[in-house]
Amino acid sequence: MESRVDLDMPVQYVAGVGPVRATQLEGLGIHTAWDLLTYFPRRFDLRRQVQPIHSVRGDEEAVTVAGKVTDTRFVSRGKRPFFECCIEDDSGYLTLKWFGGAYLIRRIVVGMTIAVSGAADTYRGSVQLINPRLQIIYDVQGTDLASDELLPVYPAGNSLSSAQIALIIRKALPRLLPGVTEWLEGPFLQKRGLIGRQAAMAAMHRPEDTDQWGQARRRMAYEECLLMQAALALQRAQATERPAHAMPVTPEIDRRIRTRLPFTLTGAQDRAVAEIAADLARARPMNRLLQGDVGCGKTVVALYAALTAVAHHHQVVFMAPTEILATQHYNKIISYLAGSKVRLAMLVGGQPARKRQYVLAQLASGELNIVVGTHALLGEEVKFRNLGLVVIDEQHKFGVAQRASIRGKGFAPHYLVMTATPIPRTLALTLFGDLDVSTIDELPPGRGTTQTQLVRPGQMGQVLQFVRQRLTEGQQAYFIYPLVNPSDNTELTAAVQAFGKLRDRELPDWPIGLIHGQMPTADKDHVMRDFAEGRIKVLVASVVVEVGIDVPNANLMVVQHADRFGLAQLHQLRGRIGRGRQDAWCILVSSPGSEVSAQRLDVLCKTSDGFKIAEEDLRLRGPGEFFGARQHGLPELKVADLVEDFELLRLARRDAFAIIQQDPSLEQPHNQALRRELRRVYGERLHLAAGG
Ligand code: ADP
Ligand code: MG
C-alpha cells in the first residue's frame, strides 16, 4: 500500500513541530512522526472547568470535580436508602451521595475515574455532593459522555505540558492520519468486531465520546496483543523447528532413576514427569515450563529429565540464578547420585581459573555428564560435546532474550524452565507464551503447616519471646529485612543494624549470622552453609534468601517492614519455611501506612495458594510492580492492559497462533502486512528477514 505520508520521518518535519519542539518531544521519547501519533492520552478529563477537590466549599451551587473512586457503599437501612462513594484527586477527598442510588452499585466501582457536577452541601461538618450528575470518564467498557467535553490528558514532561502536547498532536493529526495503513483485513476486523486502524488512531486522541474511545482502545489493544502473541508464536516455531535428539524413557531407565530417589514421587510430580518424558521422546526440542509453588519438588522432576538425557549419553546444563542456589542444586544432586557413574561439576563466576579451565575441558570432551551453574554457563567459551538438555531454574530472572542465547546452532537441546513464582495466567501468556506448561499443584506428604500472622512493631517484645522459645526447642529462624544498609532517606531498620541489635541484646544466647546481596560470594556461601548445617541458629537476611534456599529445620520467619515487599515476594520468602515436618510460623511485622497494605498483607494470612496471591498482587499493583525491579521481560505495551484486557489477549493469542501454525515463517502474501508490523515492533530479534 502506497502512502504519501512517511511516518518514519523525524518528528521535526511534522507540520507545526520544528526544531525546538522536536528537541522537547525527544525528551519524551518521541523521535518520529509515528512516535508522535502513538503518544496516546493517559485519560480524558472534562473540558468544562474541573476544580481541585480541596477548593470545594460547602455552599457552592455549581461544582465540577473529577477523581478516582476509593470507596463505595450502599446503605439500605433507614427511610432513605443511599449509595455513597468517596473520590480522590491530587488535592483531597470528597464524599458523593445519591439517595435511592441502588442502580449505581454496579456502575460505580473502586478504581474508576468519575466526574460529577452538582451542588455542594455540608453534612456533619464535612462537604458532600448530594445527587450530583455523574459522568464516567475512565471506564474501559466505555460509557456515554457527550463529545466536546473530553479533554485529553497526555503524559507530560519537564518542558512540555499536556496542553502543549495536545495542541501539537491536534494540529498534526490531519496530516499524519493518511499515513496510517490498515494491516488487518476487512472481513477479519468485522468478525472480531474491531474498528479500522485510521479511525482508531484518530479516536485515541480525539474521541467523540467515551464509547468511541473504548472502541479505539480495543482495536489498538488487540493489535498490540496480536503482534506480541505472533512474536511468541514465531519464537516457538523457530525454537522447535530444529531437530533434537529423541530420548525415550524406557522402563529400564525409569526404574533406574526412581531407585535413586529417596522417596516416591507425588501424583503431580508423576504427571509432570510423564509430560516431560513425552517431550523428550520426540525428535523436536522440548520447550516446557515447569511451575509449582516453592517446595513442591520441581528439582527432582528436573533431575529425572537430566538423568534421562544422561542415560542417552547426552550432557545436561542445570542453570540457577544465583551461586547459592547453584551450590544447593549441586549438593542435592550429588547426594541423589552418590555411588552412581554420573559425572557432575559446578561452573560459577567466582571459581579459580584453573578449576574453571578443567571443568571447561571436561565439558568439551564429554567426560562430564551434568554441569550445574549460573549465567557463567552462557559464556562463549563454554563448549559441549553433546548437549542434550538445558534446565533453567527461576527463569524469570533471566528474561526471554537470554533464553534464546543459550540455544545455539545445529541439533537443539531440549529445554526445561522451572519457576517457583506463581505467575498469574495473564502474565504467563505473555512471559512464557512460547512454552508448554506443566504444573505441580501438590506438596509432598508429611509437611507441617505454616501459620502467618500480622503484628505491629509494638508487639516485637512478644515476638522475640516466642522466637526464644522456638530456638530453645532447637529450631532455627530467619529475620528478613528489605534493605541492606541504612540510607538517609528512609527510616527503615536495615539488616546490618538489626543484626547488631539481635546479636548483642535481643538473642545473645544463639549463634547468629548475616547474609545480604552485597557480600562477596564466598562469604555468602560460608554463612549459608553454617545455617544449613545448624552452626548458625538465626539468620538475618536481606531478600537474597528469597529464591530456593532449603533448610528444613528453619521453621520460623520474622519479616520486618513486611509492607515494603510485594505479596508474591512475601509468599516466596515464606516458602523458605515449612519445608520440614514441623509446623512453621511466619510473622509479618508492619505498621501499615494505608488500608491497602493491610488488606494486601491480610491475603497472605488467609491463603497459601501461590496463584491466588499472585493474582491479587497483580491486581493491586499492576504488572510493572508485580515483578519489582527484576528483569521481567514483559514487552512494553502502549494501550493494552494485561489485567483489564485479558479476554482480548486470549482472543489475540488464538488468532496469532492460528496464523503462525498455518504459515510458520510468514511467507504467504496475505501475511506480509503482519510481517512488516512485526519487524517494525520487534526488529531483528525475531530473525524475520525483510521482504519474503
Ligand atoms: P522446589 O524446587 O519445587 O521448591 P524441591 O525440589 O527443592 O522443591 O523440593 C523440596 C523438598 O521436598 C526437598 O527437600 C525434596 O527432597 C523434597 N521432596 C521432593 N519431592 C518429594 C516427594 N515426592 N516426597 C517427599 N519429599 C519430596
Ligand atoms: Mg527449587
Side-chain angles (χ1 to χ4, degrees):
M1 227 181 291
E2 201 60 46
S3 67
R4 272 156 296 150
V5 189
D6 176 14
L7 292 177
D8 290 328
M9 73 178 162
V11 70
Q12 171 178 354
Y13 305 121
V14 173
V17 175
V20 176
R21 281 281 187 251
T23 312
Q24 293 166 333
L25 288 169
E26 298 261 339
L28 296 171
I30 300 170
H31 307 288
T32 64
W34 173 260
D35 294 340
L36 183 66
L37 195 54
T38 54
Y39 197 78
F40 297 128
R42 199 172 14 195
R43 61 167 204 274
F44 288 87
D45 276 352
L46 287 189
R47 187 166 296 283
R48 190 144 33 94
Q49 203 54 52
V50 173
Q51 64 191 84
I53 284 178
H54 81 95
S55 72
V56 177
R57 282 171 289 114
D59 56 355
E60 265 182 275
E61 290 285 319
V63 172
T64 300
V65 289
K68 197 165 185 160
V69 177
T70 60
D71 258 315
T72 64
R73 69 180 182 135
F74 181 68
V75 178
S76 56
R77 285 171 281 107
K79 258 184 259 163
R80 298 178 73 192
F82 63 89
F83 178 85
E84 190 176 72
C85 80
C86 185
I87 62 168
E88 169 191 37
D89 71 3
D90 295 339
S91 75
Y93 295 89
L94 186 68
T95 300
L96 316 173
K97 197 182 256 182
W98 285 270
F99 287 103
Y103 67 98
L104 291 170
I105 295 174
R106 276 169 202 288
R107 275 196 81 193
I108 299 184
V109 296
V110 171
M112 69 167 41
T113 303
I114 63 176
V116 288
S117 36
D121 201 351
T122 307
Y123 179 69
R124 291 192 180 158
S126 55
V127 180
Q128 294 190 334
L129 297 192
I130 308 291
N131 294 340
R133 198 161 75 87
L134 166 73
Q135 304 189 304
I136 294 168
I137 302 180
Y138 183 79
D139 168 12
V140 178
Q141 263 65 48
T143 44
D144 43 330
L145 182 58
S147 66
D148 55 340
E149 300 194 347
L150 289 171
L151 184 71
V153 178
Y154 289 93
N158 288 334
S159 49
L160 281 176
S161 68
S162 166
Q164 286 169 314
I165 299 167
L167 196 65
I168 295 170
I169 290 181
R170 188 173 166 175
K171 269 199 221 142
L173 263 186
R175 305 284 188 93
L176 299 185
L177 282 176
V180 176
T181 49
E182 182 57 76
W183 62 279
L184 295 171
E185 290 170 345
F188 182 80
L189 288 176
Q190 219 157 31
K191 199 165 78 187
R192 291 282 173 255
L194 297 167
I195 64 171
R197 202 178 192 207
Q198 238 180 52
M201 205 68 96
M204 283 304 288
H205 294 282
R206 300 176 53 73
E208 278 179 14
D209 49 36
T210 41
D211 183 52
Q212 200 194 44
W213 185 52
Q215 301 266 356
R217 263 198 89 262
R218 189 164 180 278
R219 155 69 207 236
M220 297 313 295
Y222 174 86
E223 177 172 325
E224 264 183 348
C225 291
L226 185 75
L227 287 170
M228 169 179 88
Q229 292 297 325
L232 286 165
L234 268 174
Q235 201 161 310
R236 186 193 165 82
Q238 287 166 358
T240 51
E241 96 197 333
R242 279 159 54 200
H245 295 286
M247 312 170 176
V249 179
T250 61
E252 173 59 13
I253 292 176
D254 180 72
R255 194 190 57 76
R256 277 188 357 229
I257 295 176
R258 285 179 195 264
T259 50
R260 289 247 148 244
L261 306 178
F263 39 70
T264 317
L265 295 184
T266 63
Q269 284 173 319
D270 269 330
R271 281 193 295 280
V273 160
E275 286 163 0
I276 290 168
D279 285 355
L280 292 177
R282 282 186 215 112
R284 293 278 158 205
M286 167 164 75
N287 209 33
R288 185 168 289 276
L289 173 72
L290 177 61
Q291 64 174 353
D293 235 331
V294 273
C296 70
K298 293 181 294 296
T299 314
V300 164
V301 171
L303 183 64
Y304 187 105
L307 294 179
T308 302
V310 173
H312 284 274
H313 309 289
H314 288 283
Q315 290 171 298
V316 178
V317 160
F318 213 109
M319 197 155 89
T322 64
E323 299 201 9
I324 291 184
L325 280 172
T327 309
Q328 190 176 289
H329 279 315
Y330 178 76
N331 290 335
K332 188 162 257 173
I333 296 174
I334 285 266
S335 76
Y336 290 139
L337 297 183
S340 87
K341 283 192 269 229
V342 179
R343 301 222 25 228
L344 182 70
M346 280 253 283
L347 195 69
V348 292
Q351 275 168 332
R354 275 187 53 201
K355 166 86 184 165
R356 186 178 166 81
Q357 285 312 323
Y358 183 69
V359 172
L360 287 176
Q362 290 213 315
L363 275 178
S365 71
E367 279 162 274
L368 274 176
N369 302 112
I370 302 177
V371 61
V372 183
T374 55
H375 51 271
L377 288 168
L378 293 174
E380 281 275 326
E381 72 286 9
V382 184
K383 303 250 176 346
F384 299 89
R385 172 119 196 284
N386 197 3
L387 181 61
L389 171 68
V390 176
V391 178
I392 298 189
D393 194 8
E394 310 292 351
Q395 149 73 22
H396 64 270
K397 302 237 162 179
F398 292 101
V400 181
Q402 266 144 319
R403 223 195 278 168
S405 83
I406 200 167
R407 281 196 176 128
K409 309 232 177 315
F411 269 88
H414 294 283
Y415 185 77
L416 182 66
V417 181
M418 298 193 284
T419 179
T421 309
I423 308 279
R425 285 183 309 160
T426 7
L427 297 189
L429 290 187
T430 307
L431 276 176
F432 303 122
D434 57 334
L435 303 178
D436 297 314
V437 178
S438 292
T439 304
I440 303 183
D441 52 6
E442 176 185 355
L443 288 180
R447 298 276 168 88
T449 62
T450 301
Q451 285 189 38
T452 303
Q453 246 181 15
L454 186 61
V455 306
R456 306 264 157 174
Q459 292 167 277
M460 267 314 283
Q462 279 161 270
V463 170
L464 285 168
Q465 196 49 44
F466 181 71
V467 172
R468 284 184 205 110
Q469 196 183 321
R470 298 286 135 203
L471 290 173
T472 307
E473 288 167 10
Q475 295 195 3
Q476 290 169 276
Y478 292 103
F479 278 74
I480 311 287
Y481 294 82
L483 286 182
V484 176
N485 284 310
S487 58
D488 22 35
N489 56 2
T490 145
E491 74 280 5
L492 297 187
T493 323
V496 178
Q497 279 180 332
F499 171 67
K501 200 162 134 199
L502 283 165
R503 180 191 54 197
D504 301 337
R505 282 185 275 148
E506 293 166 340
L507 301 171
D509 299 336
W510 290 275
I512 176 167
L514 172 68
I515 187 166
H516 59 73
Q518 289 165 25
M519 280 162 56
T521 306
D523 294 0
K524 277 195 280 198
D525 288 353
H526 195 82
V527 174
M528 226 24 250
R529 196 161 309 131
D530 282 351
F531 187 64
E533 290 166 13
R535 285 184 294 278
I536 288 177
K537 296 294 179 193
V538 178
L539 185 64
V540 177
S542 67
V543 282
V544 282
V545 295
E546 183 189 335
V547 269
I549 302 292
D550 191 7
V551 183
N553 192 44
N555 278 309
L556 201 52
M557 176 175 284
V558 180
V559 184
Q560 297 284 358
H561 304 292
D563 44 313
R564 299 291 169 127
F565 295 90
L567 283 188
Q569 205 180 8
L570 285 170
H571 178 66
Q572 285 262 309
L573 281 167
R574 178 170 65 177
R576 298 304 110 223
I577 57 172
R579 296 173 79 99
R581 295 187 176 277
Q582 291 133 321
D583 288 340
W585 284 270
C586 177
I587 298 166
L588 306 175
V589 188
S590 121
S591 39
S594 73
E595 273 312 293
V596 179
S597 66
Q599 193 189 326
R600 273 178 53 206
L601 294 176
D602 198 46
V603 174
L604 279 168
C605 301
K606 292 216 173 90
T607 180
S608 57
D609 180 334
F611 283 95
K612 225 185 247 169
I613 291 167
E615 297 278 355
E616 186 66 12
D617 200 23
L618 178 63
R619 197 180 65 75
L620 289 169
R621 298 194 305 161
E625 274 193 60
F626 176 79
F627 288 104
R630 288 174 193 167
Q631 176 187 14
H632 51 59
L634 285 174
E636 194 206 333
L637 297 172
K638 284 182 169 167
V639 182
D641 176 322
L642 291 178
V643 180
E644 296 285 346
D645 296 320
F646 182 53
E647 285 312 318
L648 200 62
L649 173 66
R650 281 230 298 228
L651 186 66
R653 178 176 173 82
R654 238 186 297 143
D655 292 343
F657 275 72
I659 293 170
I660 302 298
Q661 184 177 28
Q662 191 261 330
D663 183 12
S665 39
L666 290 182
E667 270 152 10
Q668 294 167 12
H670 66 277
N671 285 330
Q672 292 317 298
L674 171 61
R675 184 193 187 95
R676 268 195 306 277
E677 282 303 308
L678 278 170
R679 275 180 57 81
R680 204 175 49 69
V681 178
Y682 293 93
E684 304 303 321
R685 273 168 41 206
L686 283 179
H687 310 292
L688 264 185

